[in-house]
Amino acid sequence: MRKHLVALLFCLGVAGGALAQPGTGYHNPVLPGFYPDPSVCRVGADFYLVNSSFEYFPGVPIFHSNDLVNWEQIGYVLSRPAQLPLAKAEASLGIFAPTIRYYNGTFYVITTNVMGGWNFLVTAKNPAGPWSDPIWIQTNAEGGPFIIDPSLFFDDNGKVYLTTTGRQAGVPSIQLAEIDVTTGKLLTQQTGIWPGTGGRYPEGPHLYKKDGWYYLLIAEGGTEYGHKVTIARSKAVAGPYLSNPANPILTHAQVSAQDNPIQGVGHPDLVQAPDNSWWMVALGFRVIGPRSNHHILGRETYLVPVSWPAGEWPVVNGNGTLAEDMKVPTLPQHPFPAAPVRDDFNAGKLGWAWNFLRNPDPTAYSLTDKKGFLRLRGNATTLDSTLGSPTFVGRRQQHYDFTATTALEFTPQVPGQEAGLTVLMNNRHHYDLFIRQAGGQRHLVLAYTLGRVRHVEKEVTLVPGPVQLRVTGTRPAYTFSYAQGNQGFKQIATIDAYLISSETAGGFTGVYLGLYATAAGKKSSSDALFDWFGYAPK
């Protein structure tokens, strides 16, 4: 009886399930684009994964898979403003690393909103939702309120433990406390259990129990080029924890971009499949080129196999690295239908790919005012602002080589109103192709914002009628073009990609391709009607 029960508690990382014939290889990342800080768990033959979302709404995307390679988004954990207040969330603030776990018929996601309230958990019976309102957690660890990366561990004695970042005697250390998950109340004082191996920022802790040992998996070195995965273990949940002599068990800190374009791997989570194989999900990023240390897609989700013999330390992929082309046995693969290249805005709501910046004003968006069109109404907030929510809806750039196109009907009546297509890393770094009015005529403008620099690259006069706007991406650059009527696309200009990279712009997110409208300080008197949007990777 107990064996069958434990087999269902997939998030505890214990053995169970039936044997299956393996598949043959896969390509990393398994979730391309801005999907950082992955956390995974299993129920029976089903896997569920969540990611950080920072200032974007809805928050914490959740995915489903039967093979760990192919993933389909099934919703968002935080889909209501009451769950996710983001009004004051500046770029790369808001929701930090979540953890997903399952116990006794209930899914748990615990995370941090650094703009208020800090650590909280939500629950659901169905991972697709609805998810509960937040249960707030009052951490009491040393080191002040900046306690991030919470994780839950359900022990087999019925006790539940919270791990977070924190400090012990002034030294950064992973913290542990017993918690009541029904109330969020800590039942014991938070205490430091392991400082890591000496790398800066010991974070992202997850606890597992296997073969009579408690294993503590963490990330160190910062979510940059020195990122690494380390592990320790103890016979008691409160420690002391013994560091693995072979640490780090996963890192690309010593791997050059010429040898492997994937850099900064870390922030892992472990899961055991029904065939008893072990797997790790981790974040990493792909640089623009072999001689560049710039990346624009954000931190992505990667998958790597783990060998974990009974009573031994886990070994990641045999050599502690991962690759884009993983020639390893997999679970039987169950791919999902390919996402449509084009969104015609015919559905009653936006698809899961779309996000808003902070909590949107619902009156600024409509899919019903004109059938088959997405109507945007600009407000006083611009893309440069971090207060309030601009009229913006965007999707992640997931490939270096792509073409994104939209058809726009927009005739502004007064200066200051604009609408168009944006390539946005954050409020201080974005490229915009938009329509505005000047001298009684419509103009198409390509402008870029780089920190305090706002520059108009090119401006052309439009004829009456709809306009198609296009951005074509390659690793080194973005090329912008437009078309009207039956004419072909006319190229406007090409702008370097590295100027909006994470290394240039800072932060923890990746580039979004967005549709937007603004009245630059007022409410717009002219609606922007987007007929369709297409995103086609090459």
Side-chain angles (χ1 to χ4, degrees):
M1 178 69 180
R2 181 175 178 274
K3 287 185 177 180
H4 294 295
L5 176 62
V6 174
L8 290 175
L9 302 184
F10 58 97
C11 295
L12 300 182
V14 293
L19 295 176
Q21 296 301 313
T24 55
Y26 62 94
H27 188 81
N28 265 322
V30 292
L31 283 179
F34 162 55
Y35 291 108
D37 305 323
S39 177
V40 65
C41 58
R42 176 175 68 91
V43 174
D46 297 291
F47 299 92
Y48 300 96
L49 184 146
V50 293
N51 300 99
S52 298
S53 51
F54 295 92
E55 70 266 34
Y56 289 96
F57 184 92
V60 186
I62 183 166
F63 297 85
H64 167 255
S65 175
N66 289 112
D67 57 22
L68 290 168
V69 172
N70 299 284
W71 294 91
E72 181 181 51
Q73 188 169 353
I74 58 174
Y76 289 91
V77 174
L78 306 176
S79 59
R80 306 186 300 275
Q83 297 170 307
L84 184 56
L86 292 172
K88 298 180 180 180
E90 298 180 10
S92 290
L93 297 180
I95 293 295
F96 279 26
T99 297
I100 185 169
R101 294 293 183 256
Y102 174 87
Y103 182 75
N104 200 25
T106 299
F107 289 88
Y108 297 82
V109 167
I110 187 168
T111 186
T112 307
N113 186 345
V114 301
M115 296 311 300
W118 291 93
N119 295 324
F120 66 95
L121 65 88
V122 290
T123 63
K125 296 298 183 181
N126 184 338
W131 290 77
S132 71
D133 285 337
I135 299 171
W136 295 99
I137 299 158
Q138 299 299 316
T139 58
N140 52 25
E142 178 188 340
F146 198 72
I147 308 299
I148 60 171
D149 298 357
S151 180
L152 295 175
F153 170 69
F154 293 82
D155 207 344
D156 51 20
N157 61 4
K159 293 184 177 182
V160 188
Y161 294 93
L162 169 75
T163 54
T164 67
T165 62
R167 305 180 74 85
Q168 182 75 11
V171 177
S173 177
I174 301 304
Q175 305 288 304
L176 175 79
E178 189 181 347
I179 185 173
D180 182 342
V181 291
T182 64
T183 65
K185 182 180 179 181
L186 297 188
L187 304 179
T188 62
Q189 182 76 20
Q190 283 186 281
T191 57
I193 56 173
W194 192 47
T197 64
R200 64 175 180 165
Y201 306 134
E203 58 191 1
H206 295 304
L207 271 174
Y208 315 88
K209 192 173 186 180
K210 183 178 182 292
D211 307 322
W213 290 93
Y214 293 91
Y215 288 86
L216 177 60
L217 185 74
I218 73 167
E220 299 183 52
T223 185
E224 300 165 355
Y225 291 90
H227 215 192
K228 57 185 177 181
V229 175
T230 58
I231 193 166
R233 69 181 183 180
S234 172
K235 285 293 186 177
V237 68
Y241 280 83
L242 171 70
S243 178
N244 181 358
N247 277 326
I249 61 172
L250 173 65
T251 186
H252 284 191
Q254 307 302 323
V255 179
S256 70
Q258 286 94 333
D259 296 326
N260 193 326
I262 305 167
Q263 297 291 303
V265 294
H267 202 104
D269 199 2
L270 287 162
V271 68
Q272 190 175 28
D275 67 353
N276 296 329
S277 63
W278 283 91
W279 297 84
M280 177 184 287
V281 292
L283 65 76
F285 55 82
R286 291 175 288 166
V287 296
I288 291 174
R291 292 175 177 82
S292 171
N293 65 344
H294 294 265
H295 71 284
I296 59 176
L297 301 184
R299 299 168 301 156
E300 307 171 292
T301 292
Y302 292 82
L303 176 70
V304 61
V306 175
S307 173
W308 202 347
E312 302 295 330
W313 296 100
V315 176
V316 178
N317 199 32
N319 62 3
T321 68
L322 55 83
E324 288 184 296
D325 188 15
M326 296 293 295
K327 295 181 174 67
V328 298
T330 71
L331 302 177
Q333 294 195 20
H334 301 275
F336 296 100
V341 171
R342 177 161 149 163
D343 190 336
D344 287 307
F345 301 127
N346 290 324
K349 62 180 181 178
L350 291 171
W352 299 130
W354 295 101
N355 288 131
F356 305 97
L357 277 166
R358 298 178 287 280
N359 301 117
D361 174 5
T363 66
Y365 308 85
S366 176
L367 288 165
T368 58
D369 284 359
K370 185 175 182 180
K371 185 173 177 58
F373 287 78
L374 171 63
R375 187 267 293 161
L376 301 186
R377 183 168 296 155
N379 58 26
T381 305
T382 70
L383 295 177
D384 300 336
S385 176
T386 59
L387 298 176
S389 179
T391 302
F392 162 95
V393 59
R395 58 148 297 155
R396 293 161 175 80
Q397 178 186 338
Q398 295 182 276
H399 308 83
Y400 275 116
D401 298 293
F402 74 94
T403 297
T405 311
T406 189
L408 171 61
E409 297 179 11
F410 181 58
T411 305
Q413 301 300 311
V414 296
Q417 298 179 0
E418 65 183 58
L421 175 67
T422 181
V423 178
L424 181 139
M425 174 60 83
N426 57 39
N427 62 297
R428 290 172 56 82
H429 294 81
H430 50 93
Y431 302 149
D432 311 319
L433 182 61
F434 60 91
I435 297 171
R436 72 179 178 188
Q437 188 248 57
Q441 290 186 307
R442 289 194 313 161
H443 291 254
L444 182 65
V445 179
L446 175 62
Y448 58 75
T449 297
L450 299 172
R452 296 181 181 179
V453 176
R454 173 73 171 177
H455 174 73
V456 173
E457 181 70 16
K458 194 166 184 179
E459 186 166 355
V460 298
T461 302
L462 296 171
V463 299
V467 185
Q468 290 189 49
L469 308 178
R470 171 171 289 176
V471 56
T472 301
T474 61
R475 284 182 176 268
Y478 295 98
T479 297
F480 295 86
S481 55
Y482 76 103
Q484 285 194 276
N486 295 322
Q487 297 181 353
F489 277 88
K490 298 177 181 178
Q491 183 175 319
I492 297 177
T494 297
I495 306 178
D496 290 331
Y498 81 90
L499 294 172
I500 58 170
S501 68
S502 295
E503 286 72 21
T504 303
F508 303 127
T509 60
V511 166
Y512 268 71
L513 307 170
L515 311 176
Y516 80 99
T518 183
K522 300 178 181 179
K523 186 174 182 178
S524 180
S525 59
S526 302
D527 289 344
L529 296 171
F530 292 88
D531 191 3
W532 51 269
F533 175 88
Y535 176 85
K538 294 183 180 178

